[in-house]
């Protein structure tokens, strides 16, 4: 066996052949979004399911991989319970992007933003395209039909139930089209960043559908007696998600016996740390401030900053953000296509009502109190922060970020330390 490795999409595969591969090659610096998705309680689940562990993992991998592939991403690694997704933005460094090694953030001035926009105007990367005319669905979820001139899954077009969950790929693909039958095109940085967020939101919706006790594909695992005995009758499979943006070295790692397309960088590790912190904050998705800074104002308006911390490998404080999902629509998030050109359309956080549906029922008073609390907390007025958090916890007593920040301030009797600089060290407990 020799290995054929395509670092352009981060995938590696084994192929028969007589010629070996020269893996002793230097890597290449790229900029991308790195996303980790990790199955919770995996060690216990593995001991219960035993031989069925592989089909359990692969059922979840289909959800995660389908979501990434739907929105310009590429599955890079499967490491037991963890999946690394990559959204490559460009070769080299993206101009104006913050770096973990920077001692100071870039200036937030109109002149800097104008320079950054001009520098990025010609930067884009070719998408591999996505689904064919009959869109796939994640297991247990719904997918809307295509509507004339408007793509798919708009709230005005009632979804139809699908149970297959398989892609419908054309066996013979015309030149210039992707293997999924949708025209390739160049994807700019902003669209790639927002596609990563959309993919992980799709993961959450599809995971919720897969946990459905009537039709979800994961119920055959959670309904087993060993699982019920350990976790209870209403156990749901949970995943944590972390998103970060930055540079990485793209290259081949291994030997003639095994080789992988890999991305090596503290930025990849930061995405993993963000996912690890989801357990503490009780938020399924955590994003870095570096990532959220690259979103459009419309997309950023859906996000909530929950803390500011320092982490290993970073010279600057790291803002932690989440996208609160309070409602799960009964059909999944799917890409939309232009009927004339065949191009996949960019994510539209400003006008696509699907994202507002995800936050249907979210209490605006709670959000305002929490946001005011975080501002006061960072500024060092912990007495005011406590007051705002007390009010937010009255409305949502189970909010993980509120409880964490309240616990941090309580250790100092709600008085910021004299050397407080607006952030704290992130530990495994707080």
């Amino acid at each position: 066996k020799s290995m054929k490795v395509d670092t352009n999409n981060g995938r590696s595969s084994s192929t028969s052949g007589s010629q070996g591969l020269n893996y002793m090659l230097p890597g290449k610096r790229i900029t991308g979004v790195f996303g980790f998705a990790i199955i919770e309680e995996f060690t216990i689940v593995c001991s219960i399911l035993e031989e069925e562990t592989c089909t359990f993992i692969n059922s979840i991998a289909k959800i995660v991989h389908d979501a990434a592939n739907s929105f310009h991403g590429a599955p890079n690694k499967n490491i037991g319970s963890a999946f690394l997704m990559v959204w490559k933005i460009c070769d080299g460094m993206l101009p104006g992007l913050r770096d973990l090694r920077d001692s100071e953030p870039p200036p937030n001035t109109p002149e800097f933003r104008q320079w950054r926009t001009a520098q990025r105007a010609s930067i884009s990367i070719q998408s591999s395209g996505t689904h064919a005319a009959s869109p796939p669905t994640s297991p247990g979820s719904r997918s809307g039909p295509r509507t004339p001139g408007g793509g798919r899954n708009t709230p005005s077009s009632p979804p139809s139930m699908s149970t297959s969950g398989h892609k419908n790929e054309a066996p013979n693909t015309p030149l210039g089209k992707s293997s999924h039958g949708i025209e390739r095109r160049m994807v700019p940085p902003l669209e790639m960043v927002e596609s990563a967020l959309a993919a992980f939101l799709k993961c959450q919706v599809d995971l919720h559908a897969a946990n459905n006790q009537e039709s979800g594909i994961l119920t055959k695992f959670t309904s087993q007696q060993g699982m019920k005995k350990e976790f209870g009758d209403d156990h749901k499979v949970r995943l944590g998600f972390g998103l970060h943006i930055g540079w990485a070295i793209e290259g081949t790692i291994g030997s003639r016996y095994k080789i992988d397309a890999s991305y090596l960088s503290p930025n990849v590790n930061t995405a993993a740390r963000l996912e690890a912190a989801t357990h503490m904050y009780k938020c399924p998705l955590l994003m870095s401030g570096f990532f959220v800074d690259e979103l459009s104002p419309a997309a950023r308006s859906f996000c909530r900053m929950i803390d500011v911390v320092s982490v290993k490998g970073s010279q600057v404080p790291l803002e932690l953000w989440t996208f609160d999902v309070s409602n799960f629509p009964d059909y999944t998030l799917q890409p939309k296509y232009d009927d004339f050109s065949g191009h996949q359309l960019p994510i539209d956080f400003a006008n696509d009502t699907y994202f507002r549906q995800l936050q249907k029922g979210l209490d605006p008073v709670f959000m305002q109190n929490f946001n005011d609390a975080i501002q006061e907390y960072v500024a060092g007025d912990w007495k005011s922060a406590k007051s705002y958090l007390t009010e937010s916890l009255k409305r949502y007593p189970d909010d993980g970020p509120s409880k964490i920040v309240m616990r941090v301030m309580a250790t100092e009797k709600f008085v910021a330390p004299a050397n407080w600089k607006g952030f704290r060290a992130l530990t495994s407990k707080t």
Side-chain angles (χ1 to χ4, degrees):
K1 294 275 186 178
S2 65
M3 297 302 301
K4 182 179 180 180
V5 180
D6 181 2
T7 55
N8 285 328
N9 64 15
R11 298 182 177 96
S12 61
S13 59
S14 178
T15 114
S16 298
S18 58
Q19 294 183 347
L21 175 70
N22 180 13
Y23 54 88
M24 289 296 183
L25 297 171
K28 178 174 65 175
R29 184 185 297 270
I30 63 99
T31 299
V33 174
F34 306 100
F36 264 99
I38 300 183
I39 306 168
E40 298 185 7
E41 293 113 6
F42 178 73
T43 301
I44 300 174
V45 170
C46 184
S47 66
I48 295 172
L49 295 180
E50 296 183 340
E51 288 88 348
E52 289 188 85
T53 301
C54 290
T55 53
F56 171 73
I57 294 173
N58 290 342
S59 297
I60 297 172
K62 176 170 175 54
I63 294 172
V64 177
H65 290 182
D66 276 355
N69 185 65
S70 294
F71 293 100
H72 305 309
N76 177 248
K77 286 190 182 300
N78 307 316
I79 316 167
S81 62
F83 309 97
L84 173 60
M85 307 291 112
V86 178
W87 288 263
K88 184 175 176 180
I89 293 173
C90 64
D91 291 331
M93 293 290 290
L94 184 66
L97 182 67
R98 296 175 61 190
D99 190 277
L100 292 171
R101 300 168 296 182
D102 293 339
S103 58
E104 297 290 338
N108 186 23
T109 63
E111 292 79 12
F112 173 77
R113 291 193 294 271
Q114 185 177 12
W115 171 85
R116 183 177 64 182
T117 300
Q119 292 294 310
R120 295 181 179 183
S122 62
I123 294 176
S124 59
I125 195 163
Q126 182 171 269
S127 169
S128 61
T130 181
H131 305 308
S134 298
T137 63
S138 292
S141 63
R142 295 185 176 187
S143 172
R146 189 164 187 160
T147 56
R152 319 175 197 274
N153 286 346
T154 56
S156 59
S157 54
S160 58
M161 180 62 77
S162 173
T163 57
S164 67
H166 296 294
K167 297 176 184 176
N168 298 308
E169 299 182 0
N172 298 310
T173 303
L175 185 65
K177 292 192 176 184
S178 76
S179 61
H180 303 288
I182 298 301
E183 292 283 354
R184 293 188 179 99
R185 66 176 175 84
M186 304 307 289
V187 181
L190 174 61
E191 182 181 349
M192 196 63 80
V193 172
E194 298 200 339
S195 294
L197 175 55
F200 272 9
L201 293 175
K202 174 177 170 59
C203 279
Q204 293 182 63
V205 174
D206 293 350
L207 181 65
H208 181 268
N211 274 312
N212 185 295
Q213 292 186 353
E214 295 181 0
S215 59
I217 63 164
L218 295 179
T219 57
K220 70 176 182 179
F221 303 106
T222 57
S223 62
Q224 294 187 18
Q225 287 303 312
M227 295 285 281
K228 288 184 175 182
K229 182 177 179 180
E230 179 67 35
F231 300 112
D233 291 340
D234 59 348
H235 174 65
K236 308 294 183 187
V237 177
R238 296 193 299 271
L239 269 69
F241 303 93
L243 280 171
H244 181 61
I245 186 173
W247 64 270
I249 303 303
E250 176 187 78
T252 54
I253 301 297
S255 70
R256 67 188 183 91
Y257 302 104
K258 176 68 168 70
I259 196 165
D260 291 309
S262 295
Y263 293 91
L264 309 175
S265 170
N267 293 300
V268 178
N269 297 338
T270 296
R273 290 191 184 101
L274 288 168
E275 187 288 324
T278 62
H279 312 282
M280 179 173 58
Y281 287 96
K282 306 301 180 186
C283 296
L285 169 64
L286 283 183
M287 305 168 285
S288 69
F290 289 54
F291 175 84
V292 174
D293 284 349
E294 295 294 327
L295 296 172
S296 65
R300 201 178 305 130
S301 69
F302 289 98
C303 303
R304 171 169 63 129
M305 189 176 83
I306 62 170
D307 208 345
V308 185
V309 300
S310 61
V311 297
K312 184 179 180 181
S314 176
Q315 299 297 316
V316 294
L318 190 68
E319 296 175 356
L320 304 183
W321 290 72
T322 192
F323 186 116
D324 293 286
V325 176
S326 55
N327 176 60
F328 292 95
D330 62 356
Y331 59 100
T332 190
L333 177 62
Q334 291 282 15
K336 298 178 181 179
Y337 308 111
D338 182 273
D339 289 319
F340 178 75
S341 68
H343 290 158
Q344 181 171 328
L345 298 174
I347 304 299
D348 188 357
F349 280 94
N351 299 302
D352 191 334
T353 59
Y354 192 92
F355 301 105
R356 287 193 288 274
Q357 287 188 60
L358 291 177
Q359 296 192 334
K360 182 180 179 180
L362 196 60
D363 187 345
V365 176
F366 161 80
M367 293 295 289
Q368 185 62 56
N369 282 330
F370 182 88
N371 291 336
D372 289 342
I374 288 296
Q375 295 302 316
E376 300 295 350
Y377 163 71
V378 172
D381 185 354
W382 287 12
K383 182 178 179 180
S384 296
K386 177 187 177 182
S387 177
Y388 284 122
L389 281 179
T390 299
E391 292 303 312
S392 68
L393 283 167
K394 287 179 181 177
R395 291 180 172 271
Y396 189 11
D398 294 328
D399 182 56
S402 296
K403 293 195 287 187
I404 286 290
V405 175
M406 187 73 91
R407 189 186 309 157
V408 168
M409 294 191 297
T411 62
E412 301 289 341
K413 298 181 179 179
F414 298 98
V415 177
N419 62 348
W420 176 251
K421 296 181 180 180
F423 61 93
R424 64 185 183 87
L426 182 66
T427 68
S428 59
K429 295 181 179 179
T430 61

